[in-house]
Amino acid sequence: MDHQDGQRSEPAESGPVDGGPDEDRLFSEANAWHFRLQSDDVRPAERAAFAEWLARSPAHAHAWAGLQTLLHDLREPARAAYAESRIAPPRRPAAAGVRRLAAAMTILLVVGGLGVWHGPTLYQNAVADQVTSTGQRRTLTLPDGSTVDMNGDTALAFDYRDGERRVQILRGEAWFRVTRDPDHPFVVDGGAGAARVLGTQFSVRRKDDRTTVTVGEGLVEVVAHRNADGNAPWPDSVRLRPGESAEADANGLTGPRAVDPAVAFAWRQGQIVFRQQPLASVIATLNRQWPGRVILLNDEAAERVVSGVFALDRPDAVIDALERGLGMRATRITPYLTLLR
């Protein structure tokens, strides 16, 4: 899990391999290295550490080669196996085989090997000026003195030319503390809508084709972008006050509506807050905040409500609470895959 400064722990080292559990451990390390090397913020020192890990012994190289073979051979079977696991009772094949199939599925699902999320993310990262990976948070100071807190899995592009103060949020969520400048409005474009301010504090979240603006201090004008036919959705704009939120999508603007700042901005304090939220929504939120995936295999539990306040750097505490509070059972396949039944 990333902390505030974006630092990560390297995969644990291991000694010589004699087969059995040690071989499984090396395979898990290879899995962790593959996941880390796919990240957008991997550091040169980490690449050097991986090269050292790979050259440490023939067993390390063998584990890496075995993982790459599985990725090649199981791309389609992994997709089919996951689909079948949601409707059929689990069988009991050899434990090592289960672990390795699940590890391969982890990488395919999380890194984007199935092609579901990877394409748009690559494009967004290519055009962005600042990017955070899942679970990472970062604070930036802009040329005008304004500051930006980026949540995990967020991509931003900046345009400060010709006296403009414009930010494009390509995906994710960010909090803005804007330096007041009456002559140069500060605009955050979130796709379906844009927030326009002179000086205030607010957040903008962009997910798919929906843009959500929430105000912490001051006034924010939210403007819906016009449809492709040139007609403006109704209403065309709305003004938000502290503790209010609005959403823009293809159908126009909705809001203002009252929000609880303690919930909406909890991520800035390293917390995550759930108040009577469906379990499916909770899991979707967790997957935006942490590396890896939590997969719910019990569809009947998706609408069960969850309340609680948790630390973002303690994912195991959230899973433990779900097990105790809802009677769920968690199976941790690797550090990057948890199955919840």
Short mmCIF file of all heavy atoms in Angstrom, two decimals, residues 99-161:
data_model
loop_
_atom_site.label_atom_id
_atom_site.label_comp_id
_atom_site.label_asym_id
_atom_site.label_seq_id
_atom_site.Cartn_x
_atom_site.Cartn_y
_atom_site.Cartn_z
N ARG A 99 -3.31 -21.61 -6.42
CA ARG A 99 -2.59 -20.38 -6.10
C ARG A 99 -2.00 -19.75 -7.36
O ARG A 99 -2.03 -18.53 -7.53
CB ARG A 99 -1.48 -20.66 -5.08
CG ARG A 99 -2.00 -20.90 -3.67
CD ARG A 99 -0.85 -20.83 -2.67
NE ARG A 99 0.12 -21.91 -2.87
CZ ARG A 99 0.03 -23.10 -2.30
NH1 ARG A 99 -0.99 -23.38 -1.53
NH2 ARG A 99 0.95 -24.02 -2.51
N ARG A 100 -1.45 -20.59 -8.23
CA ARG A 100 -0.79 -20.02 -9.40
C ARG A 100 -1.79 -19.50 -10.42
O ARG A 100 -1.56 -18.47 -11.05
CB ARG A 100 0.14 -21.06 -10.02
CG ARG A 100 1.27 -21.41 -9.06
CD ARG A 100 2.24 -22.39 -9.63
NE ARG A 100 3.24 -22.75 -8.63
CZ ARG A 100 4.27 -23.55 -8.86
NH1 ARG A 100 4.42 -24.06 -10.07
NH2 ARG A 100 5.12 -23.82 -7.91
N LEU A 101 -2.91 -20.21 -10.59
CA LEU A 101 -3.93 -19.70 -11.49
C LEU A 101 -4.47 -18.37 -10.97
O LEU A 101 -4.64 -17.41 -11.72
CB LEU A 101 -5.08 -20.71 -11.62
CG LEU A 101 -6.29 -20.23 -12.45
CD1 LEU A 101 -5.85 -19.90 -13.87
CD2 LEU A 101 -7.39 -21.28 -12.45
N ALA A 102 -4.71 -18.30 -9.65
CA ALA A 102 -5.22 -17.06 -9.07
C ALA A 102 -4.20 -15.93 -9.20
O ALA A 102 -4.55 -14.78 -9.45
CB ALA A 102 -5.57 -17.27 -7.60
N ALA A 103 -2.92 -16.26 -9.02
CA ALA A 103 -1.90 -15.22 -9.17
C ALA A 103 -1.86 -14.69 -10.59
O ALA A 103 -1.74 -13.49 -10.82
CB ALA A 103 -0.53 -15.79 -8.79
N ALA A 104 -1.97 -15.58 -11.56
CA ALA A 104 -2.00 -15.13 -12.95
C ALA A 104 -3.24 -14.28 -13.21
O ALA A 104 -3.17 -13.25 -13.89
CB ALA A 104 -1.98 -16.34 -13.89
N MET A 105 -4.38 -14.70 -12.66
CA MET A 105 -5.61 -13.90 -12.83
C MET A 105 -5.45 -12.53 -12.20
O MET A 105 -5.95 -11.53 -12.72
CB MET A 105 -6.79 -14.63 -12.19
CG MET A 105 -7.24 -15.86 -12.97
SD MET A 105 -8.51 -16.78 -12.07
CE MET A 105 -9.81 -15.57 -12.02
N THR A 106 -4.74 -12.48 -11.05
CA THR A 106 -4.52 -11.18 -10.40
C THR A 106 -3.87 -10.21 -11.36
O THR A 106 -4.30 -9.08 -11.53
CB THR A 106 -3.61 -11.36 -9.18
OG1 THR A 106 -4.19 -12.30 -8.30
CG2 THR A 106 -3.39 -10.05 -8.47
N ILE A 107 -2.78 -10.65 -11.98
CA ILE A 107 -2.05 -9.76 -12.88
C ILE A 107 -2.90 -9.38 -14.07
O ILE A 107 -2.97 -8.22 -14.47
CB ILE A 107 -0.75 -10.43 -13.33
CG1 ILE A 107 0.14 -10.71 -12.10
CG2 ILE A 107 -0.01 -9.56 -14.32
CD1 ILE A 107 1.33 -11.57 -12.41
N LEU A 108 -3.59 -10.35 -14.65
CA LEU A 108 -4.42 -10.06 -15.82
C LEU A 108 -5.51 -9.06 -15.49
O LEU A 108 -5.81 -8.16 -16.27
CB LEU A 108 -5.04 -11.35 -16.34
CG LEU A 108 -4.05 -12.36 -16.94
CD1 LEU A 108 -4.79 -13.64 -17.31
CD2 LEU A 108 -3.35 -11.78 -18.14
N LEU A 109 -6.12 -9.21 -14.31
CA LEU A 109 -7.21 -8.31 -13.93
C LEU A 109 -6.71 -6.94 -13.51
O LEU A 109 -7.25 -5.92 -13.91
CB LEU A 109 -8.02 -8.93 -12.78
CG LEU A 109 -8.87 -10.14 -13.16
CD1 LEU A 109 -9.39 -10.81 -11.89
CD2 LEU A 109 -10.02 -9.73 -14.04
N VAL A 110 -5.66 -6.91 -12.69
CA VAL A 110 -5.25 -5.66 -12.07
C VAL A 110 -4.41 -4.82 -13.02
O VAL A 110 -4.61 -3.63 -13.16
CB VAL A 110 -4.47 -5.94 -10.77
CG1 VAL A 110 -3.95 -4.65 -10.18
CG2 VAL A 110 -5.36 -6.67 -9.79
N VAL A 111 -3.42 -5.42 -13.67
CA VAL A 111 -2.55 -4.66 -14.55
C VAL A 111 -3.26 -4.27 -15.83
O VAL A 111 -2.90 -3.32 -16.49
CB VAL A 111 -1.27 -5.47 -14.85
CG1 VAL A 111 -0.36 -4.72 -15.79
CG2 VAL A 111 -0.53 -5.76 -13.55
N GLY A 112 -4.30 -5.00 -16.19
CA GLY A 112 -5.06 -4.65 -17.38
C GLY A 112 -4.76 -5.55 -18.56
O GLY A 112 -5.00 -5.17 -19.70
N GLY A 113 -4.20 -6.73 -18.30
CA GLY A 113 -3.84 -7.62 -19.40
C GLY A 113 -5.03 -8.06 -20.21
O GLY A 113 -4.89 -8.50 -21.35
N LEU A 114 -6.23 -7.99 -19.65
CA LEU A 114 -7.42 -8.36 -20.40
C LEU A 114 -7.87 -7.23 -21.31
O LEU A 114 -8.81 -7.38 -22.08
CB LEU A 114 -8.57 -8.72 -19.44
CG LEU A 114 -8.33 -9.97 -18.61
CD1 LEU A 114 -9.48 -10.17 -17.64
CD2 LEU A 114 -8.18 -11.19 -19.48
N GLY A 115 -7.21 -6.07 -21.20
CA GLY A 115 -7.52 -4.97 -22.10
C GLY A 115 -8.76 -4.19 -21.70
O GLY A 115 -9.27 -3.39 -22.48
N VAL A 116 -9.26 -4.38 -20.48
CA VAL A 116 -10.48 -3.69 -20.08
C VAL A 116 -10.19 -2.26 -19.68
O VAL A 116 -10.87 -1.33 -20.09
CB VAL A 116 -11.15 -4.45 -18.91
CG1 VAL A 116 -12.39 -3.72 -18.45
CG2 VAL A 116 -11.50 -5.87 -19.35
N TRP A 117 -9.14 -2.05 -18.86
CA TRP A 117 -8.85 -0.70 -18.37
C TRP A 117 -7.57 -0.13 -18.96
O TRP A 117 -7.35 1.05 -18.92
CB TRP A 117 -8.69 -0.72 -16.85
CG TRP A 117 -9.80 -1.41 -16.15
CD1 TRP A 117 -11.07 -0.95 -15.94
CD2 TRP A 117 -9.76 -2.71 -15.55
NE1 TRP A 117 -11.80 -1.86 -15.27
CE2 TRP A 117 -11.03 -2.95 -15.01
CE3 TRP A 117 -8.77 -3.68 -15.44
CZ2 TRP A 117 -11.34 -4.14 -14.37
CZ3 TRP A 117 -9.08 -4.85 -14.79
CH2 TRP A 117 -10.35 -5.07 -14.26
N HIS A 118 -6.67 -0.96 -19.48
CA HIS A 118 -5.31 -0.53 -19.74
C HIS A 118 -5.23 0.52 -20.84
O HIS A 118 -4.48 1.47 -20.74
CB HIS A 118 -4.48 -1.76 -20.12
CG HIS A 118 -3.02 -1.57 -19.92
ND1 HIS A 118 -2.49 -0.94 -18.82
CD2 HIS A 118 -1.96 -1.92 -20.70
CE1 HIS A 118 -1.17 -0.92 -18.91
NE2 HIS A 118 -0.83 -1.49 -20.03
N GLY A 119 -6.02 0.36 -21.92
CA GLY A 119 -5.92 1.27 -23.05
C GLY A 119 -6.19 2.73 -22.68
O GLY A 119 -5.34 3.59 -22.91
N PRO A 120 -7.36 3.05 -22.12
CA PRO A 120 -7.63 4.44 -21.73
C PRO A 120 -6.61 4.99 -20.75
O PRO A 120 -6.21 6.15 -20.83
CB PRO A 120 -9.03 4.37 -21.12
CG PRO A 120 -9.65 3.16 -21.71
CD PRO A 120 -8.53 2.19 -21.89
N THR A 121 -6.16 4.17 -19.81
CA THR A 121 -5.20 4.63 -18.82
C THR A 121 -3.89 5.01 -19.48
O THR A 121 -3.28 6.04 -19.14
CB THR A 121 -4.96 3.55 -17.76
OG1 THR A 121 -6.18 3.28 -17.08
CG2 THR A 121 -3.90 3.98 -16.75
N LEU A 122 -3.41 4.22 -20.43
CA LEU A 122 -2.17 4.53 -21.12
C LEU A 122 -2.27 5.87 -21.85
O LEU A 122 -1.36 6.70 -21.80
CB LEU A 122 -1.82 3.42 -22.12
CG LEU A 122 -1.24 2.14 -21.53
CD1 LEU A 122 -1.03 1.12 -22.63
CD2 LEU A 122 0.08 2.41 -20.83
N TYR A 123 -3.39 6.10 -22.51
CA TYR A 123 -3.57 7.37 -23.22
C TYR A 123 -3.60 8.53 -22.24
O TYR A 123 -2.94 9.56 -22.45
CB TYR A 123 -4.86 7.34 -24.03
CG TYR A 123 -5.24 8.71 -24.55
CD1 TYR A 123 -4.58 9.27 -25.64
CD2 TYR A 123 -6.24 9.46 -23.92
CE1 TYR A 123 -4.92 10.54 -26.10
CE2 TYR A 123 -6.57 10.72 -24.37
CZ TYR A 123 -5.91 11.25 -25.46
OH TYR A 123 -6.24 12.50 -25.91
N GLN A 124 -4.36 8.39 -21.16
CA GLN A 124 -4.45 9.47 -20.19
C GLN A 124 -3.10 9.78 -19.57
O GLN A 124 -2.74 10.96 -19.41
CB GLN A 124 -5.48 9.10 -19.12
CG GLN A 124 -6.90 9.04 -19.62
CD GLN A 124 -7.82 8.25 -18.71
OE1 GLN A 124 -7.38 7.69 -17.70
NE2 GLN A 124 -9.09 8.18 -19.06
N ASN A 125 -2.34 8.74 -19.25
CA ASN A 125 -1.03 8.97 -18.67
C ASN A 125 -0.09 9.66 -19.65
O ASN A 125 0.78 10.46 -19.26
CB ASN A 125 -0.42 7.65 -18.21
CG ASN A 125 -1.12 7.07 -17.01
OD1 ASN A 125 -1.97 7.71 -16.40
ND2 ASN A 125 -0.80 5.84 -16.66
N ALA A 126 -0.25 9.37 -20.93
CA ALA A 126 0.63 9.95 -21.94
C ALA A 126 0.40 11.46 -22.09
O ALA A 126 1.35 12.21 -22.34
CB ALA A 126 0.41 9.26 -23.29
N VAL A 127 -0.84 11.92 -21.93
CA VAL A 127 -1.13 13.34 -22.13
C VAL A 127 -1.15 14.11 -20.82
O VAL A 127 -1.22 15.34 -20.83
CB VAL A 127 -2.48 13.53 -22.86
CG1 VAL A 127 -2.46 12.83 -24.21
CG2 VAL A 127 -3.64 13.02 -22.02
N ALA A 128 -1.06 13.43 -19.68
CA ALA A 128 -1.14 14.10 -18.38
C ALA A 128 0.20 14.71 -18.00
O ALA A 128 1.27 14.25 -18.43
CB ALA A 128 -1.58 13.11 -17.31
N ASP A 129 0.14 15.75 -17.17
CA ASP A 129 1.35 16.34 -16.58
C ASP A 129 1.69 15.71 -15.24
O ASP A 129 2.85 15.67 -14.86
CB ASP A 129 1.15 17.85 -16.40
CG ASP A 129 1.03 18.59 -17.72
OD1 ASP A 129 1.95 18.49 -18.53
OD2 ASP A 129 0.00 19.26 -17.93
N GLN A 130 0.67 15.24 -14.51
CA GLN A 130 0.89 14.60 -13.22
C GLN A 130 -0.04 13.39 -13.11
O GLN A 130 -1.22 13.48 -13.46
CB GLN A 130 0.61 15.55 -12.05
CG GLN A 130 1.62 16.69 -11.93
CD GLN A 130 2.96 16.23 -11.41
OE1 GLN A 130 3.07 15.18 -10.76
NE2 GLN A 130 4.00 17.00 -11.70
N VAL A 131 0.50 12.27 -12.61
CA VAL A 131 -0.26 11.02 -12.49
C VAL A 131 0.04 10.40 -11.14
O VAL A 131 1.19 10.41 -10.69
CB VAL A 131 0.10 10.03 -13.61
CG1 VAL A 131 -0.60 8.69 -13.41
CG2 VAL A 131 -0.25 10.60 -14.98
N THR A 132 -0.98 9.88 -10.47
CA THR A 132 -0.78 9.04 -9.30
C THR A 132 -1.28 7.64 -9.60
O THR A 132 -2.24 7.46 -10.35
CB THR A 132 -1.52 9.58 -8.06
OG1 THR A 132 -2.91 9.72 -8.37
CG2 THR A 132 -0.96 10.91 -7.62
N SER A 133 -0.62 6.65 -9.02
CA SER A 133 -1.06 5.27 -9.17
C SER A 133 -2.10 4.96 -8.10
O SER A 133 -2.35 5.76 -7.19
CB SER A 133 0.12 4.31 -9.06
OG SER A 133 0.78 4.49 -7.82
N THR A 134 -2.73 3.81 -8.21
CA THR A 134 -3.74 3.41 -7.24
C THR A 134 -3.13 3.36 -5.84
O THR A 134 -2.07 2.77 -5.63
CB THR A 134 -4.31 2.03 -7.59
OG1 THR A 134 -4.87 2.08 -8.90
CG2 THR A 134 -5.38 1.61 -6.60
N GLY A 135 -3.79 4.02 -4.88
CA GLY A 135 -3.32 4.03 -3.51
C GLY A 135 -2.33 5.12 -3.18
O GLY A 135 -1.99 5.32 -2.02
N GLN A 136 -1.86 5.85 -4.19
CA GLN A 136 -0.88 6.91 -3.97
C GLN A 136 -1.58 8.26 -3.88
O GLN A 136 -2.54 8.52 -4.60
CB GLN A 136 0.12 6.93 -5.12
CG GLN A 136 1.21 7.98 -4.99
CD GLN A 136 2.10 8.03 -6.22
OE1 GLN A 136 1.67 7.68 -7.32
NE2 GLN A 136 3.33 8.47 -6.06
N ARG A 137 -1.08 9.14 -3.01
CA ARG A 137 -1.59 10.51 -2.93
C ARG A 137 -0.43 11.48 -3.05
O ARG A 137 0.68 11.19 -2.59
CB ARG A 137 -2.36 10.72 -1.61
CG ARG A 137 -3.56 9.80 -1.48
CD ARG A 137 -4.43 10.17 -0.28
NE ARG A 137 -3.73 10.10 0.98
CZ ARG A 137 -3.49 8.97 1.66
NH1 ARG A 137 -3.87 7.82 1.16
NH2 ARG A 137 -2.87 9.01 2.83
N ARG A 138 -0.69 12.64 -3.64
CA ARG A 138 0.39 13.59 -3.90
C ARG A 138 -0.15 15.00 -3.79
O ARG A 138 -1.27 15.28 -4.20
CB ARG A 138 0.97 13.34 -5.30
CG ARG A 138 2.10 14.28 -5.70
CD ARG A 138 2.58 13.96 -7.11
NE ARG A 138 3.07 12.59 -7.19
CZ ARG A 138 3.14 11.89 -8.33
NH1 ARG A 138 2.73 12.42 -9.45
NH2 ARG A 138 3.62 10.67 -8.31
N THR A 139 0.68 15.93 -3.26
CA THR A 139 0.33 17.34 -3.18
C THR A 139 1.23 18.14 -4.11
O THR A 139 2.45 17.97 -4.10
CB THR A 139 0.46 17.86 -1.75
OG1 THR A 139 -0.45 17.15 -0.90
CG2 THR A 139 0.12 19.34 -1.68
N LEU A 140 0.62 19.03 -4.91
CA LEU A 140 1.35 19.84 -5.88
C LEU A 140 1.13 21.31 -5.59
O LEU A 140 0.07 21.70 -5.11
CB LEU A 140 0.86 19.55 -7.31
CG LEU A 140 0.76 18.10 -7.77
CD1 LEU A 140 0.09 18.03 -9.13
CD2 LEU A 140 2.14 17.47 -7.82
N THR A 141 2.12 22.13 -5.91
CA THR A 141 1.98 23.58 -5.88
C THR A 141 2.04 24.09 -7.31
O THR A 141 3.01 23.81 -8.04
CB THR A 141 3.08 24.23 -5.04
OG1 THR A 141 3.01 23.74 -3.69
CG2 THR A 141 2.91 25.75 -5.02
N LEU A 142 1.02 24.83 -7.74
CA LEU A 142 0.92 25.31 -9.10
C LEU A 142 1.62 26.66 -9.25
O LEU A 142 1.95 27.31 -8.26
CB LEU A 142 -0.55 25.42 -9.50
CG LEU A 142 -1.35 24.11 -9.38
CD1 LEU A 142 -2.77 24.30 -9.87
CD2 LEU A 142 -0.67 22.98 -10.14
N PRO A 143 1.86 27.11 -10.50
CA PRO A 143 2.61 28.35 -10.71
C PRO A 143 2.01 29.58 -10.03
O PRO A 143 2.74 30.52 -9.70
CB PRO A 143 2.60 28.50 -12.23
CG PRO A 143 2.49 27.10 -12.74
CD PRO A 143 1.62 26.40 -11.76
N ASP A 144 0.69 29.61 -9.82
CA ASP A 144 0.05 30.78 -9.21
C ASP A 144 -0.02 30.67 -7.69
O ASP A 144 -0.60 31.54 -7.03
CB ASP A 144 -1.35 30.97 -9.77
CG ASP A 144 -2.29 29.83 -9.38
OD1 ASP A 144 -1.78 28.70 -9.19
OD2 ASP A 144 -3.50 30.04 -9.27
N GLY A 145 0.57 29.62 -7.12
CA GLY A 145 0.52 29.42 -5.68
C GLY A 145 -0.61 28.55 -5.21
O GLY A 145 -0.67 28.18 -4.03
N SER A 146 -1.55 28.21 -6.08
CA SER A 146 -2.62 27.27 -5.73
C SER A 146 -2.02 25.89 -5.47
O SER A 146 -0.95 25.56 -5.98
CB SER A 146 -3.65 27.18 -6.85
OG SER A 146 -4.24 28.43 -7.12
N THR A 147 -2.72 25.08 -4.66
CA THR A 147 -2.24 23.73 -4.38
C THR A 147 -3.29 22.70 -4.78
O THR A 147 -4.49 22.99 -4.81
CB THR A 147 -1.90 23.54 -2.89
OG1 THR A 147 -3.07 23.81 -2.10
CG2 THR A 147 -0.77 24.48 -2.47
N VAL A 148 -2.82 21.51 -5.10
CA VAL A 148 -3.67 20.41 -5.52
C VAL A 148 -3.30 19.17 -4.73
O VAL A 148 -2.12 18.80 -4.68
CB VAL A 148 -3.53 20.11 -7.02
CG1 VAL A 148 -4.50 19.00 -7.44
CG2 VAL A 148 -3.75 21.36 -7.85
N ASP A 149 -4.27 18.53 -4.10
CA ASP A 149 -4.09 17.21 -3.49
C ASP A 149 -4.68 16.19 -4.45
O ASP A 149 -5.89 16.22 -4.71
CB ASP A 149 -4.80 17.12 -2.14
CG ASP A 149 -4.14 17.99 -1.08
OD1 ASP A 149 -3.05 18.51 -1.33
OD2 ASP A 149 -4.75 18.16 0.00
N MET A 150 -3.85 15.29 -4.96
CA MET A 150 -4.31 14.26 -5.88
C MET A 150 -4.61 12.98 -5.12
O MET A 150 -3.77 12.50 -4.35
CB MET A 150 -3.26 14.00 -6.96
CG MET A 150 -2.92 15.20 -7.82
SD MET A 150 -1.57 14.87 -9.00
CE MET A 150 -2.33 13.61 -10.06
N ASN A 151 -5.78 12.42 -5.34
CA ASN A 151 -6.12 11.12 -4.80
C ASN A 151 -5.46 10.04 -5.65
O ASN A 151 -4.84 10.33 -6.68
CB ASN A 151 -7.64 10.94 -4.78
CG ASN A 151 -8.10 9.91 -3.75
OD1 ASN A 151 -7.29 9.16 -3.22
ND2 ASN A 151 -9.38 9.87 -3.48
N GLY A 152 -5.60 8.77 -5.24
CA GLY A 152 -5.02 7.69 -6.01
C GLY A 152 -5.65 7.53 -7.38
O GLY A 152 -6.81 7.89 -7.60
N ASP A 153 -4.89 6.99 -8.32
CA ASP A 153 -5.34 6.70 -9.69
C ASP A 153 -5.95 7.95 -10.33
O ASP A 153 -7.08 7.94 -10.79
CB ASP A 153 -6.33 5.55 -9.69
CG ASP A 153 -6.60 5.01 -11.09
OD1 ASP A 153 -5.73 5.19 -11.96
OD2 ASP A 153 -7.68 4.44 -11.31
N THR A 154 -5.18 9.03 -10.34
CA THR A 154 -5.64 10.31 -10.86
C THR A 154 -4.64 10.83 -11.89
O THR A 154 -3.43 10.66 -11.73
CB THR A 154 -5.78 11.34 -9.73
OG1 THR A 154 -6.81 10.89 -8.83
CG2 THR A 154 -6.14 12.72 -10.24
N ALA A 155 -5.14 11.45 -12.96
CA ALA A 155 -4.31 12.03 -14.00
C ALA A 155 -4.78 13.45 -14.28
O ALA A 155 -5.97 13.68 -14.52
CB ALA A 155 -4.36 11.19 -15.28
N LEU A 156 -3.84 14.42 -14.23
CA LEU A 156 -4.16 15.83 -14.43
C LEU A 156 -3.28 16.42 -15.53
O LEU A 156 -2.11 16.06 -15.66
CB LEU A 156 -3.94 16.63 -13.15
CG LEU A 156 -4.70 16.22 -11.89
CD1 LEU A 156 -4.29 17.10 -10.72
CD2 LEU A 156 -6.20 16.27 -12.11
N ALA A 157 -3.86 17.35 -16.29
CA ALA A 157 -3.10 18.13 -17.27
C ALA A 157 -3.32 19.61 -16.97
O ALA A 157 -4.43 20.02 -16.63
CB ALA A 157 -3.56 17.80 -18.69
N PHE A 158 -2.26 20.42 -17.08
CA PHE A 158 -2.32 21.83 -16.71
C PHE A 158 -2.09 22.73 -17.92
O PHE A 158 -1.26 22.42 -18.79
CB PHE A 158 -1.26 22.15 -15.64
CG PHE A 158 -1.37 21.28 -14.42
CD1 PHE A 158 -0.50 20.23 -14.21
CD2 PHE A 158 -2.37 21.50 -13.49
CE1 PHE A 158 -0.61 19.43 -13.09
CE2 PHE A 158 -2.49 20.70 -12.36
CZ PHE A 158 -1.61 19.67 -12.17
N ASP A 159 -2.80 23.85 -17.95
CA ASP A 159 -2.62 24.85 -19.00
C ASP A 159 -2.58 26.22 -18.33
O ASP A 159 -3.62 26.77 -17.97
CB ASP A 159 -3.74 24.77 -20.03
CG ASP A 159 -3.49 25.69 -21.22
OD1 ASP A 159 -2.51 26.46 -21.18
OD2 ASP A 159 -4.28 25.65 -22.18
N TYR A 160 -1.36 26.76 -18.17
CA TYR A 160 -1.18 28.07 -17.56
C TYR A 160 -0.64 29.09 -18.57
O TYR A 160 -0.01 30.07 -18.20
CB TYR A 160 -0.23 27.95 -16.36
CG TYR A 160 -0.95 27.71 -15.05
CD1 TYR A 160 -1.67 26.55 -14.83
CD2 TYR A 160 -0.91 28.65 -14.04
CE1 TYR A 160 -2.33 26.33 -13.65
CE2 TYR A 160 -1.57 28.44 -12.84
CZ TYR A 160 -2.28 27.28 -12.65
OH TYR A 160 -2.95 27.06 -11.46
N ARG A 161 -0.92 28.87 -19.83
CA ARG A 161 -0.43 29.79 -20.86
C ARG A 161 -1.35 31.00 -20.99
O ARG A 161 -2.55 30.92 -20.73
CB ARG A 161 -0.34 29.07 -22.21
CG ARG A 161 0.67 27.92 -22.24
CD ARG A 161 0.55 27.14 -23.52
NE ARG A 161 -0.77 26.49 -23.62
CZ ARG A 161 -1.17 25.76 -24.67
NH1 ARG A 161 -0.36 25.60 -25.69
NH2 ARG A 161 -2.36 25.22 -24.68
#
